[in-house]
């Protein structure tokens, strides 16, 4: 029960974190009307994942292990690209908030809004297939015991609760800190997603070095423990990390975070209050 | 997973939302299209069932230590209290051939892996950490090669390539024979033309389904008088047949008429041979073609309608059976993999029909159809029917 609960929690957190931060951002910037697009992306990903999961569990064909890993890995890396783009887009639009350019930004956000749907779909979809396979397996087992399914669903609900609290929490954060905070968090999350994606591709045999570990602290941070689950669910932290994963994480997080913070530093301390920000032309993204 | 947070916001019924939904669905689905699929249900062919794996917190029980090669299905059940994973690793214990992750307590998940003969390592990882609880698995040679799919396609490709060569060869012989026949016919040398008639037509009859795929040429070359549609000009083999084997009261053709029929016959045959050269032949055409040939036998030859004046139906009969047998034999290596029983049945029934046909042959010649007794026709008909049933299953067996 606990173990199944933790699976639901971990997968739920992995899927929802990016979505929650994107929605908080839209709420903060008075673009709540774009939030349905995020929901549309999420709904599409859930429908597709659940559909394929059911098909692969009950249909005549299953995915090969390599294919399953390759899909997860590819979607993860795609998600990283999209989230990175979102982070810089947010940094850029944040700066013009409250200015007389707002209406123009809103217009362009109309186009980017569809991008939000795609980001949400990918963030959820990359975890969706695996979660769906688990849930269908649990559903199949309900004849014997409803515990696995109940446990997993409770985990998902808990992850939803966490997400909701996080959403409420970040809404209370002061605006300028919110942007730095959210963007940095997204960069670090994306770094975790990237290294997770690399690991998937290593398992699929598409990338080498699956057994060259940079560190293995899985004795101290048990993957099945609640803190291991949280670390994995939020940061995609793996206690046994390969050199390639570690290198990808560092090579992504360090330069992107540096560029992101530099863009933010050029932003006046209170971007919402400033309508005359000349730095808008020198956006790093 | 989603479906939570922000209870205030719900999905509006705005139709514009269909756009991102579709876009997102496409983004998620495309990699799936590119990905490999594997059979869910096909269990290990020789052992006839899944290999049961029971993973507990301290144990990893695999129901077999030696299994025949092919598609292996592991049914992994987690009876422990921790989440577990199951791996099939290469003999080096490193390379992953397949894994199922996230098997929660009380759950079963299947892993299907295509494995060639060799030594493997199995591993359960309760708690998802460390090297797991390992065991050895020996996969023995079953003759069922894991690369069977690639091999199978190769077998089909070989069959179609060979059949294309056969069609080309028969086409060339048909053209040579037709030119000789046409020359004799146009010159009024009825003896020579009669001698060439049935033998040349055999080349046509052997590849008739291919020829019939060109809707315009078939009636020009092979229409029977009884089947002519109003206004249709009667040309081709049977027009010449009637002149060579004239019924009572028939008015013979003039030399000019004969010449025209002969020229047309040669021109149409050239056209046919030209077109067969660029024809793409597929495995299903072979299978269906074989069946069509046998249907031809059943509807035209057994009844003696095809050669109503020359009574050389048994020549055509033999040629149709030849053509069907060649197509079947081309597909046989593939069929042996999919349905060896059907292959054996077809072998037996072709042989029986051929043996019966042989009783009516005198050297290269066949008994005139009107000499056959009703009992002999009946025997032939029942053998054709017996062959037709398994032959109708040939295409589905190799193509599906």
């Amino acid at each position: 029960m606990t173990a199944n609960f933790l699976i639901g929690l971990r997968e739920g957190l992995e899927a929802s974190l990016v979505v929650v931060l994107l929605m908080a951002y839209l709420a903060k910037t008075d673009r709540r009307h774009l939030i349905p697009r995020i929901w549309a992306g999420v709904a599409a990903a859930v429908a597709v994942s659940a559909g394929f999961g059911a098909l692969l569990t009950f249909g005549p064909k299953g995915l090969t292990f390599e294919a399953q890993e390759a899909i997860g890995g590819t979607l993860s890396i795609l998600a990283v690209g999209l989230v990175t783009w979102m982070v810089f887009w947010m940094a850029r639009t944040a700066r013009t908030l409250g200015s007389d350019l707002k209406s123009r930004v809103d217009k362009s956000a109309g186009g980017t809004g569809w991008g939000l749907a795609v980001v949400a779909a990918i963030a959820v979809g990359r975890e969706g297939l695996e979660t769906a396979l688990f849930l269908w397996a649990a559903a199949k087992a309900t004849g014997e015991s409803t515990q696995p399914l109940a446990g997993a669903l409770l985990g998902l609900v808990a992850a939803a609760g966490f997400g909701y609290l996080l959403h409420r929490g970040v809404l209370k954060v002061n605006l300028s800190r919110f942007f730095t905070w959210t963007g940095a968090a997204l960069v670090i999350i994306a770094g975790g997603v990237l290294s997770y994606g690399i690991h998937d591709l290593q398992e699929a045999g598409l990338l080498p070095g699956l057994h060259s570990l940079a560190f293995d602290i899985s004795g101290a941070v048990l993957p099945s423990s609640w803190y291991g689950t949280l670390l994995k669910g939020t940061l995609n932290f793996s206690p046994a990390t390969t050199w390639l994963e570690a290198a990808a994480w560092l090579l992504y997080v360090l330069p992107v975070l540096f560029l992101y913070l530099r863009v933010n530093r050029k932003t006046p301390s209170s971007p919402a209050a400033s309508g005359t920000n000349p730095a808008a032309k020198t956006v790093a993204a | 997973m989603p479906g939570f947070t922000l209870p205030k916001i719900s999905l509006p019924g705005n139709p514009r939302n269909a756009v991102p939904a579709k876009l997102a669905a496409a983004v998620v689905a495309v990699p799936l299209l590119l990905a490999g699929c594997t059979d869910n249900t096909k269990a290990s062919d020789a052992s006839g069932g899944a290999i049961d794996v029971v993973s507990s917190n301290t144990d990893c029980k695999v129901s077999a230590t030696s299994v025949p090669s092919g598609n292996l299905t592991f049914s992994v059940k987690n009876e422990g209290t921790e989440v577990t994973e199951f791996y099939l690793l290469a003999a080096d214990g490193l390379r992953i051939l397949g894994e199922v992750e996230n098997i929660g307590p009380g759950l079963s998940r299947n892993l299907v892996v295509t494995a060639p003969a060799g030594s493997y390592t199995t591993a359960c990882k309760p708690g998802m950490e460390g090297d797991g609880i390992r065991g050895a698995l020996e996969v023995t040679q079953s003759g069922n090669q894991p690369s069977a799919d690639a091999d199978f396609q190769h077998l089909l490709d070989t069959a179609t390539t060979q059949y294309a060569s056969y069609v080309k060869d028969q086409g060339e012989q048909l053209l040579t024979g037709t030119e000789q026949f046409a020359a004799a016919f146009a010159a009024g040398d009825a003896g020579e033309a009669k001698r060439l008639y049935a033998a040349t037509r055999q080349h046509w009859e052997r590849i008739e389904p291919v020829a019939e795929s060109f809707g315009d040429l078939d009636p020009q070359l092979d229409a029977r008088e009884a089947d002519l549609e109003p206004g249709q000009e009667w040309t081709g083999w049977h027009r010449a047949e009637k002149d060579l084997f004239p019924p009572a009261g028939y008015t013979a053709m003039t030399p000019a008429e004969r010449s025209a029929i002969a020229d047309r016959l040669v021109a149409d045959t050239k056209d046919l041979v030209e077109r067969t050269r660029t024809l793409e032949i597929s495995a299903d055409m072979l299978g269906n073609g074989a069946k069509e040939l046998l249907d031809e036998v059943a509807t035209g030859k057994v009844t003696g309608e095809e050669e109503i004046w020359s009574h050389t139906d048994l020549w055509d009969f033999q040629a149709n059976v030849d053509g069907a047998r060649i197509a079947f034999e081309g597909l046989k290596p593939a069929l042996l993999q999919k349905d060896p029983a059907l292959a054996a049945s077809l072998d037996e029934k072709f042989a029986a029909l051929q043996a019966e046909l042989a009783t009516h042959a005198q050297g290269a010649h066949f008994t005139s159809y009107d000499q056959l007794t009703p009992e002999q026709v009946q025997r032939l008909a029942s053998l054709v029917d017996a062959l037709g049933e398994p032959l109708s299953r040939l295409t589905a067996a190799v193509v599906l």
Side-chain angles (χ1 to χ4, degrees):
Chain A
M1 180 74 171
T2 323
N4 291 325
F5 169 81
L6 287 176
I7 289 183
L9 179 65
R10 185 185 74 213
E11 304 290 330
L13 284 175
E14 285 185 30
S16 64
L17 220 52
V18 170
V19 174
V20 163
L21 289 177
L22 288 182
M23 285 199 297
Y25 169 75
L26 288 179
K28 274 286 206 190
T29 56
D30 276 337
R31 293 205 191 88
R32 283 182 179 274
H33 64 282
L34 291 179
I35 289 180
R37 301 191 185 180
I38 291 189
W39 283 115
V42 167
V46 171
V48 169
S49 298
F52 272 105
L55 202 67
L56 295 175
T57 307
F58 303 109
K61 294 275 179 187
L63 274 185
T64 61
F65 150 71
E66 287 89 351
Q68 216 167 306
E69 297 295 301
I71 292 170
T74 310
L75 282 185
S76 293
I77 289 167
L78 203 59
V80 172
L82 283 167
V83 167
T84 310
W85 163 69
M86 290 302 304
V87 164
F88 284 98
W89 174 71
M90 281 160 60
R92 194 169 57 217
T93 51
R95 213 175 301 118
T96 53
L97 272 181
S99 76
D100 48 5
L101 292 174
K102 188 170 181 296
S103 62
R104 247 168 65 194
V105 171
D106 276 341
K107 259 180 212 154
S108 79
T112 317
W114 300 128
L116 290 173
V118 176
V119 175
I122 301 240
V124 173
R126 85 192 167 82
E127 274 311 311
L129 185 63
E130 212 180 301
T131 311
L133 285 173
F134 176 85
L135 287 177
W136 287 120
K140 254 203 314 203
T142 49
E144 307 160 29
S145 148
T146 51
Q147 280 205 355
L149 190 60
L153 290 176
L154 274 178
L156 286 176
V157 171
F162 264 112
Y164 180 69
L165 290 179
L166 179 69
H167 180 78
R168 294 302 299 263
V170 292
L171 287 185
K172 291 197 184 101
V173 177
N174 126 348
L175 198 59
S176 73
R177 270 175 58 209
F178 169 80
F179 283 111
T180 322
W181 199 96
T182 316
L186 278 174
V187 169
I188 288 172
I189 291 168
V193 173
L194 177 67
S195 88
Y196 176 89
I198 299 274
H199 185 78
D200 271 355
L201 295 181
Q202 284 181 318
E203 287 196 323
L206 298 174
L207 286 177
L210 180 59
H211 301 282
S212 313
L213 293 182
F215 58 84
D216 186 352
I217 51 166
S218 45
V221 186
L222 290 170
S224 52
S225 64
W226 65 268
Y227 45 92
T229 297
L230 278 187
L231 277 173
K232 171 82 174 146
T234 52
L235 302 177
N236 271 294
F237 173 76
S238 160
T241 295
T242 67
W243 281 109
L244 199 62
E245 286 175 63
W249 192 90
L250 289 172
L251 285 176
Y252 172 81
V253 169
L254 294 185
V256 172
L257 208 53
F258 171 76
L259 285 173
Y260 174 76
L261 293 175
R262 201 178 64 171
V263 171
N264 263 303
R265 215 179 20 244
K266 284 179 183 159
T267 309
S269 57
S270 180
S274 164
T276 57
N277 174 23
K281 292 173 207 126
T282 60
V283 167
Chain B
M1 283 294 279
F4 37 70
T5 74
L6 288 188
K8 281 168 273 185
I9 298 145
S10 59
L11 245 175
N14 186 342
R16 281 188 310 159
N17 282 310
V19 178
K22 273 182 200 156
L23 182 62
V27 170
V28 175
V30 162
L32 278 164
L33 296 178
L34 303 173
C37 282
T38 188
D39 284 331
N40 252 352
T41 48
K42 201 159 67 180
S44 172
D45 291 75
S47 73
I51 304 157
D52 289 316
V53 179
V54 178
S55 175
S56 65
N57 288 6
T58 52
D59 223 347
C60 183
K61 286 190 200 121
V62 182
S63 68
T65 52
S66 175
V67 292
S69 62
N71 280 327
L72 309 180
T73 304
F74 296 91
S75 172
V76 188
K77 177 139 177 65
N78 184 1
E79 291 190 344
T81 55
E82 292 191 286
V83 178
T84 195
E85 301 173 325
F86 175 77
Y87 290 80
L88 182 67
L89 302 156
D92 62 8
L94 296 177
R95 190 165 61 89
I96 303 175
L97 276 97
E99 70 168 343
V100 269
E101 298 173 307
N102 272 346
I103 310 168
L107 294 192
S108 289
R109 299 228 357 223
N110 282 355
L111 170 67
V112 182
V113 190
T114 309
S119 298
Y120 295 87
T121 304
T122 56
C124 298
K125 264 195 211 180
M128 300 181 291
E129 55 123 4
D131 283 342
I133 304 158
R134 298 196 165 207
L137 180 71
E138 210 52 47
V139 175
T140 58
Q141 186 57 259
S142 70
N144 182 359
Q145 290 301 325
S147 53
D149 281 353
D151 285 351
F152 187 75
Q153 189 54 47
H154 179 68
L155 292 177
L156 290 185
D157 291 347
T158 308
T160 53
T161 311
Q162 284 174 350
Y163 193 75
S165 308
Y166 176 73
V167 169
K168 182 168 171 282
D169 178 52
Q170 290 297 318
E172 281 163 3
Q173 293 191 50
L174 173 66
L175 184 56
T176 310
T178 304
E179 280 167 345
Q180 290 170 1
F181 170 82
F185 182 66
D189 186 348
E192 176 71 354
K194 278 182 183 177
R195 192 181 67 74
L196 287 167
Y197 178 79
T200 304
R201 275 184 53 76
Q202 282 202 307
H203 301 299
W204 161 268
E205 293 285 340
R206 284 186 188 123
I207 57 170
E208 201 170 352
V210 174
E212 281 181 348
S213 66
F214 310 113
D216 52 338
L217 283 179
D218 183 50
Q220 279 164 226
L221 280 163
D222 202 36
R224 286 173 299 202
E225 189 175 26
D227 297 338
L228 287 179
E229 286 166 22
Q232 186 185 345
E233 187 194 358
W234 190 25
T235 59
W237 285 100
H238 295 300
R239 181 73 192 88
E241 181 202 359
K242 191 175 184 181
D243 198 61
L244 287 171
F245 306 90
Y250 173 80
T251 314
M253 279 190 238
T254 66
E257 282 172 331
R258 280 201 196 109
S259 193
I261 291 293
D263 289 351
R264 180 73 183 275
L265 192 61
V266 171
D268 285 345
T269 306
K270 272 185 181 154
D271 193 4
L272 170 74
V273 170
E274 203 60 44
R275 287 198 226 173
T276 55
R277 285 196 180 135
T278 53
L279 186 68
E280 288 282 332
I281 292 180
S282 56
D284 60 317
M285 281 171 73
L286 258 69
N288 292 331
K291 180 67 177 104
E292 280 170 37
L293 280 167
L294 209 71
D295 291 344
E296 286 276 336
V297 174
T299 58
K301 277 72 176 185
V302 165
T303 57
E305 286 168 21
E306 177 81 10
E307 309 288 355
I308 199 157
W309 295 291
S310 69
H311 304 299
T312 55
D313 301 86
L314 284 182
W315 296 68
D316 297 2
F317 194 139
Q318 177 68 59
N320 284 163
V321 173
D322 287 345
R325 188 175 44 78
I326 294 285
F328 157 63
E329 281 173 357
L331 291 173
K332 199 160 107 183
L335 183 64
L336 281 170
Q337 291 210 349
K338 287 279 182 89
D339 192 345
L342 180 58
S345 161
L346 282 168
D347 263 335
E348 181 199 320
K349 277 154 184 156
F350 266 115
L353 178 58
Q354 187 55 54
E356 181 66 21
L357 262 177
T359 64
H360 303 297
Q362 296 128 16
H365 291 257
F366 280 94
T367 310
S368 182
Y369 191 80
D370 52 0
Q371 308 284 311
L372 293 181
T373 65
E375 293 74 32
Q376 285 171 321
V377 171
Q378 187 51 47
R379 262 206 302 282
L380 282 170
S382 65
L383 287 167
V384 167
D385 287 344
L387 176 59
E389 191 278 319
L391 202 57
S392 66
R393 290 188 277 135
L394 172 63
T395 309
V398 293
V399 175
L400 295 182

